[in-house]
Amino acid sequence: MATYIVLLGPPGVGKGTQARILSETKKLAHISSGDLFRENLKNQTELGKLAKSFMDKGELVPDDVTIAMIKDRLSRPDCEAGAILDGFPRTPAQADALEAMLKNFSGSVDAVPYITAAESILIERASGRWTCRAQGHIYHEKFNPPQKDGVCDIDGSEVYQREDDKVETVTKRIRVYLEQTMPLVEYYRKAGKLIEVDGTRQVEQVTKTLFDALKE
Ligand code: AP5
Ligand code: MG
């Protein structure tokens, strides 16, 4: 049976960083809703233009288009063994839609690591983040800088600062997270799937906590 892991947590906590490591180790596809929107933006699709109008304000893209995008992504062949979902679901309606679509792939959400850190840490991480233009590889000017300034170590493309990583937009995203996504913590706790992970420490330590918790 396919394995589906949902990474839950506030903006900038390290979901993308940990999802990449998990996906490589567990040989599961990494699906980041934010990356999919940014890819659409880069390719100037209609979906990309629509998403941009919400992302730039730090608001959530409407559920219907987000759900349709993820459904399409999950039906691709590289998701046959399952996936690490990063940034989806983000509302109770998205969580319900996910359960319904996973039934079609004869699966369900297996575990929900919930990564947390204080707001000051989230802002420091997001505002120092550099993202690779080609494939979204993640760096931080202080905590994880690329070897060569401005260039991705992995694919050599330019690294850039996300438009929505300005302090005021990050603050707004955190507020939106508290209002719209926090209910999912109880949703998955009740389902017995929530695994709390302290995201304050260094990347390697967070990874270790995450892997140990998933083993249990
Ligand atoms: P999205 O791209 O998903 O952003 P987010 O959830 O706000 O999360 P981030 O990507 O900002 O942070 P992250 O937790 O992945 O942290 P990262 O690993 O990069 O969404 C963007 C927008 O798209 C949304 O605002 C919304 O508009 C739209 N959207 C997306 N999904 C949606 C959905 N389902 N429904 C509706 N709308 C949706 O790490 C951050 C930084 O910290 C990096 O620099 C990294 O190097 C560093 N770092 C990571 N871990 C550590 C550590 N342990 N110690 C020190 N530094 C660390
Ligand atoms: Mg991310």
Side-chain angles (χ1 to χ4, degrees), residues 1-4 26-29 76-83:
M1 200 146 104
T3 305
Y4 299 96
K26 297 205 172 276
K27 307 266 178 282
L28 295 172
R76 289 195 222 154
D78 67 323
C79 296
E80 227 159 73

Side-chain angles (χ1 to χ4, degrees), residues 15-16 32 38 86 129 138 162:
K15 299 182 296 298
S32 156
R38 282 183 286 277
D86 155 16
R129 168 170 45 202
I138 303 164
R162 273 167 49 178

Side-chain angles (χ1 to χ4, degrees), residues 4 21 29 38 46-47 49 63 68 86 112 123 155 158 180 188 204 214 216:
Y4 299 96
I21 300 168
R38 282 183 286 277
E46 282 310 309
L47 175 62
K49 284 178 209 161
D63 281 338
D86 155 16
V112 183
I123 292 174
D155 59 34
E158 175 204 20
Q180 302 191 45
Y188 286 120
E204 298 72 26
L214 283 171
E216 282 167 17

Side-chain angles (χ1 to χ4, degrees), residues 8-15 114-126 143 170 174 177-178 182 196-202 206:
L8 196 60
V13 78
K15 299 182 296 298
Y114 168 42
I115 312 176
T116 54
E119 183 159 335
S120 55
I121 293 180
L122 306 177
I123 292 174
E124 187 184 23
R125 287 185 185 171
F143 306 127
V170 177
I174 295 171
Y177 165 82
L178 293 173
M182 271 306 266
E196 297 193 47
V197 176
D198 177 8
T200 13
R201 291 174 302 157
Q202 288 174 2
V206 177

Side-chain angles (χ1 to χ4, degrees), residues 5 7 22 26 111-113 195 209-216:
I5 298 173
L7 288 187
L22 259 182
K26 297 205 172 276
V112 183
I195 303 170
T209 316
L210 182 59
F211 277 77
D212 287 349
L214 283 171
K215 261 186 232 143
E216 282 167 17

